Amino acid sequence: MKIKSILVKSIAVAAMSVTGLVVANNAGSNTAQAAIVQNDASVVTVNYVSNNSISVYNNYENPVATGQILASNTSWKVIKTAYDSKGHKWYDLGKNQWVRAKYVTIGYHAAATQTQTTAQASTQAPAQSQTQNTQTASNTSASSYTSNASGSEASAKAWIANRESGGSYSASNGQYVGKYQLSASYLNGDYSAANQERVADNYVKSRYGSWSAAKSFWQANGWY
């Protein structure tokens, strides 16, 4: 009886891994519970939706919109895959920034190949949130770049850089690198100061619209 019981439990565990849901026997009835499962995607691309963007949520179990949105046809790096208690699939784009899997497709797609940035990251640094993977079709970047941020925008940008890295282009924190602590995947192998500035500007423009808005978000959340 004991051997049979262990075998049944082993089979049940294997089945849970396949379905991506944890099933618990509660008072004689099986109840699906939210669970993080093996990640099944490295990058996803936002599908076209009615308002041309999708919302980002703070978690998959009791999701609340963060106020951030991801534009249609942008690609993002995936850190985790999970299912909520209703069986809905979610992807974590880093720093607990979750999107419903039904609104994205796995991989890069033609419409997102020009200037896109992938998301990031696992759970740390500032933009631990993700964004389009600003990279050129040739995966190379120009050797120089001049930011157009000035006045209050330049001030907000410098404020964020100071909080993230102390203003150092060589700072690193796990997979986050540089002055703005961008996910290494965003930079596509080019850690030059010019590329860090360019990618940071593109990231903030895409996600917040301005450095001032990004600073306000950072002050409220501790990351941007």
Side-chain angles (χ1 to χ4, degrees):
M1 291 297 292
K2 181 177 292 185
I3 293 176
K4 180 179 180 181
S5 175
I6 293 174
L7 177 61
V8 170
K9 290 180 179 179
S10 298
I11 294 174
V13 170
M16 287 186 283
S17 297
V18 173
T19 60
L21 293 176
V22 174
V23 179
N25 191 307
N26 183 17
S29 63
N30 289 330
T31 304
Q33 297 181 334
I36 292 178
V37 299
Q38 182 175 359
N39 195 13
D40 65 358
S42 57
V43 173
V44 294
T45 298
V46 179
N47 297 329
Y48 175 82
V49 287
S50 60
N51 62 351
N52 206 37
S53 65
I54 63 175
S55 296
V56 175
Y57 295 84
N58 62 344
N59 65 68
Y60 67 93
E61 297 174 285
N62 299 293
V64 175
T66 64
Q68 296 170 288
I69 59 173
L70 305 183
S72 178
N73 293 323
T74 56
S75 294
W76 307 77
K77 181 179 178 182
V78 175
I79 302 308
K80 300 175 187 175
T81 300
Y83 287 84
D84 61 27
S85 60
K86 295 180 181 179
H88 298 143
K89 188 176 182 180
W90 293 78
Y91 287 120
D92 179 12
L93 306 183
K95 191 67 176 181
N96 288 321
Q97 296 175 95
W98 297 84
V99 295
R100 280 283 298 276
K102 66 181 291 186
Y103 297 124
V104 300
T105 53
I106 294 176
Y108 288 109
H109 295 281
T113 56
Q114 268 317 77
T115 44
Q116 55 188 24
T117 52
T118 48
Q120 89 235 358
S122 175
T123 67
Q124 37 289 336
Q128 271 62 64
S129 83
Q130 302 18 87
T131 109
Q132 355 169 60
N133 172 42
T134 55
Q135 63 184 32
T136 64
S138 60
N139 289 325
T140 59
S141 63
S143 59
S144 63
Y145 171 78
T146 301
S147 175
N148 59 11
S150 61
S152 60
E153 282 297 281
S155 177
K157 183 177 182 180
W159 185 93
I160 288 178
N162 186 57
R163 294 301 185 287
E164 292 302 320
S165 67
S168 172
Y169 286 114
S170 61
S172 64
N173 175 21
Q175 73 174 77
Y176 297 97
V177 299
K179 188 174 181 177
Y180 304 98
Q181 287 294 280
L182 301 164
S183 171
S185 62
Y186 293 5
L187 298 169
N188 197 37
D190 182 354
Y191 302 147
S192 67
N195 197 46
Q196 288 186 39
E197 293 292 340
R198 175 181 18 261
V199 174
D201 279 344
N202 288 340
Y203 167 73
V204 166
K205 181 179 180 180
S206 172
R207 180 58 64 82
Y208 302 102
S210 69
W211 280 99
S212 294
K215 177 182 176 181
S216 295
F217 187 91
W218 199 107
Q219 291 174 316
N221 298 276
W223 55 272
Y224 76 111

